[in-house]
Amino acid sequence: MAVMKVGAAGIETISGAMKRPKKMNGHNHGNYLVATHRTAATTNPNCQRVYSFDADRYTRTGEPTSKELNARTRFSTVQAAVNARAKNLATLAQDQAAFLAQKDVAGGCKTFKSWLWKVCGDAYDEALNG
């Protein structure tokens, strides 16, 4: 959904999907209406844009490639490992200590969740490429 900033004079900015097509009886009615608001520094005063796309804009036209299927498999496997490891009380204290030890090092993960993703992802890659 769109994010809107409202000021005293009314709507100041809108960013996101303002309208999506409605699917009925196997086909879409309507189109996409998307607004963007540029926040980067610039001298151009035109920072708000609105786009309209056909209802089938985001429909996949081909089959997923083997690279994409491998990425999906890796993501789901690592996600399951992260969730299991975060709930494992036997290793939680060790994991938290290891996370805190690397947190302030250059290139270290800043959140515990990102550290778990890195550790589990590295373990998956090592097991796969072994």
Side-chain angles (χ1 to χ4, degrees):
M1 295 306 296
V3 175
M4 178 173 47
K5 183 177 176 187
V6 179
I11 298 172
E12 292 181 8
T13 63
I14 299 176
S15 183
M18 297 188 301
K19 180 182 172 236
R20 293 190 174 120
K22 183 176 182 182
K23 191 166 197 168
M24 293 180 65
N25 300 326
H27 62 280
N28 293 330
H29 295 274
N31 57 3
Y32 287 95
L33 191 60
V34 179
T36 60
H37 176 73
R38 186 184 64 242
T39 57
T42 182
T43 57
N44 186 342
N46 302 322
C47 59
Q48 187 76 32
R49 294 202 169 110
V50 177
Y51 302 96
S52 179
F53 302 116
D54 290 336
D56 62 350
R57 167 77 178 216
Y58 300 107
T59 303
R60 181 183 273 287
T61 57
E63 293 298 315
T65 63
S66 61
K67 185 177 179 180
E68 184 177 355
L69 292 173
N70 291 341
R72 288 180 185 181
T73 302
R74 181 185 188 277
F75 180 85
S76 59
T77 305
V78 172
Q79 180 184 29
V82 165
N83 291 340
R85 190 162 177 163
K87 294 176 185 174
N88 186 354
L89 298 178
T91 61
L92 190 60
Q94 284 178 308
D95 287 347
Q96 288 175 339
F99 162 69
L100 291 174
Q102 63 82 48
K103 181 179 178 183
D104 295 325
V105 177
C109 298
K110 301 302 179 196
T111 66
F112 184 61
K113 187 73 109 176
S114 67
W115 180 81
L116 284 174
W117 272 92
K118 181 181 183 320
V119 169
C120 294
D122 290 347
Y124 176 86
D125 293 340
E126 185 177 324
L128 192 66
N129 299 327

